[in-house]
Amino acid sequence: MSLDRTDPEGSIAEAAKAYGNWGRWGEDDVLGTLNFLDEAKRREGAGLIRRGVSFSLSQRFDMDGPQKGWRRRTNPVHTMLDTGTDAVLTGQGFPHGLGGADDVIAMPLQCSTQWDGLGHIFDHGKAWNGRPAEKVVTSEGDLVTGIEHMAPHVAGRGVLLDVGRVVGENGELPDGFAITAGHLTATADTQGVSVGRGDIVLVRTGQLTRVRRDGWGEYAGGPAPGLSFTAAGWLHGTEIAAIATDTWGFEVRPNEFEHAFQPLHQVAIPNMGLLIGEMWDPDALAEDCAADGVYDFWLTAAPLPITGAVGSPVNPIAVK
């Protein structure tokens, strides 16, 4: 599709009309593109386990994370409620020498590796499937498409598209690099892997590799490589179930329009119903895929079933 950098409003409306899925799975749908991930796709994904080697695709959850407080997004605060010191010095009131430790964590649900739920983004006051946003997400949470509905479903065939390694230099794309459908297709072709209905796609840009080396900098919200707005047609046409990146915002930043903020989100989540993951860590998996030439695998990435949440932390596990 064409991109008029001076007209984000018109381009978003055009893409929403061309690539929208409202009503595709009925007026009561709460899963969006996860409907593409069916039992057959899970059996296919499970059949990819050969060596039994597994990889966590999650960044850590601690106070040394990337968040800077934008819109009250902070890094996790981990506090001990009971410790070994308590057990030794106070006995904790338990009999026969029993002691224990407990802890609590306070954090935004989207402070590290996470999924964006279907109630996370609206388009002109409309949530996924054309529902009024004010009736979907209230102060009590997402009353309709809370992320708990997705908890049983996010497991199947995963595909790594290591665009950083195929298109970039030294395995990394520069900040501001817009990944087009052509780049995604070329990467899949180079790797000898297919992408299609029901797949969970992980796009590696190499930005996380770079900030690990150089420091977080503007990782949380600043310039980044990412999906081009023009990739909306690829996201829709491939019928993938979900997609995640190793960046904070999934799409290229700065965004490709003048005076715009996350326009691809505005098309993909409320109109397409696409499940989007951000701040995933594909590096160890990518090294293994480059070594053995196998870029598809079993992937399980269930969100926490937090009732009414519009996002969730996740520890995705890839098994080859």
Side-chain angles (χ1 to χ4, degrees):
M1 63 175 294
S2 60
L3 189 154
D4 182 350
R5 296 181 185 276
T6 66
D7 184 20
E9 186 90 12
S11 297
I12 290 168
E14 178 186 353
K17 182 178 180 180
Y19 309 128
N21 285 322
W22 289 359
R24 184 169 185 168
W25 298 287
E27 64 179 13
D28 296 327
D29 180 68
V30 296
L31 295 179
T33 56
L34 276 183
N35 284 285
F36 291 132
L37 207 175
D38 58 15
E39 290 84 354
K41 198 66 186 183
R42 291 194 189 92
R43 289 194 298 270
E44 178 187 348
L48 296 171
I49 299 176
R50 295 288 187 267
R51 294 155 52 207
V53 60
S54 61
F55 302 87
S56 169
L57 308 179
S58 179
Q59 293 189 40
R60 62 195 186 187
F61 285 76
D62 59 34
M63 289 188 69
D64 294 323
Q67 299 299 332
K68 300 183 294 182
W70 178 79
R71 298 187 68 82
R72 293 178 287 184
R73 286 189 183 177
T74 60
N75 291 313
V77 178
H78 178 214
T79 304
M80 299 306 301
L81 300 178
D82 269 312
T83 69
T85 302
D86 296 325
V88 171
L89 295 183
T90 72
Q92 296 177 313
F94 298 124
H96 48 74
L98 175 73
D102 272 323
D103 45 6
V104 64
I105 192 166
M107 65 181 189
L109 298 184
Q110 295 173 320
C111 67
S112 186
T113 303
Q114 53 94 18
W115 285 119
D116 283 346
L118 292 182
H120 178 52
I121 297 292
F122 314 122
D123 181 9
H124 290 82
K126 298 295 184 181
W128 160 241
N129 229 18
R131 301 179 177 101
E134 73 275 13
K135 295 184 178 180
V136 174
V137 183
T138 72
S139 60
E140 296 181 356
D142 186 336
L143 307 178
V144 181
T145 51
I147 207 158
E148 71 273 13
H149 296 292
M150 294 181 166
H153 300 284
V154 193
R157 179 180 184 251
V159 179
L160 173 68
L161 295 182
D162 194 345
V163 184
R165 192 180 299 264
V166 173
V167 179
E169 295 184 9
N170 299 317
E172 301 172 15
L173 298 174
D175 292 340
F177 186 96
I179 300 170
T180 65
H183 294 128
L184 296 167
T185 301
T187 298
D189 290 345
T190 299
Q191 295 176 173
V193 69
S194 64
V195 175
R197 175 178 286 205
D199 287 336
I200 305 169
V201 176
L202 174 55
V203 176
R204 180 184 173 276
T205 71
Q207 190 195 32
L208 181 59
T209 311
R210 182 163 61 254
V211 299
R212 279 205 177 111
R213 182 179 64 243
D214 301 337
W216 286 119
E218 295 299 312
Y219 178 81
L227 273 287
S228 169
F229 184 83
T230 64
W234 184 92
L235 296 171
H236 183 262
T238 52
E239 298 186 335
I240 58 174
I243 188 169
T245 69
D246 56 352
T247 69
W248 172 89
F250 168 68
E251 56 191 286
V252 63
R253 296 185 52 80
N255 300 135
E256 296 158 287
F257 298 98
E258 300 171 8
H259 310 298
F261 182 75
Q262 302 300 77
L264 186 56
H265 273 66
Q266 193 171 340
V267 173
I269 295 178
N271 289 288
M272 203 180 298
L274 180 64
L275 181 61
I276 291 176
E278 293 157 337
M279 294 182 284
W280 287 34
D281 180 1
D283 282 0
L285 173 65
E287 289 295 329
D288 189 85
C289 292
D292 73 358
V294 177
Y295 287 85
D296 57 350
F297 37 83
W298 169 254
L299 178 62
T300 178
L304 298 179
I306 302 169
T307 303
V310 299
S312 172
V314 63
N315 177 26
I317 302 294
V319 186
K320 296 180 67 178

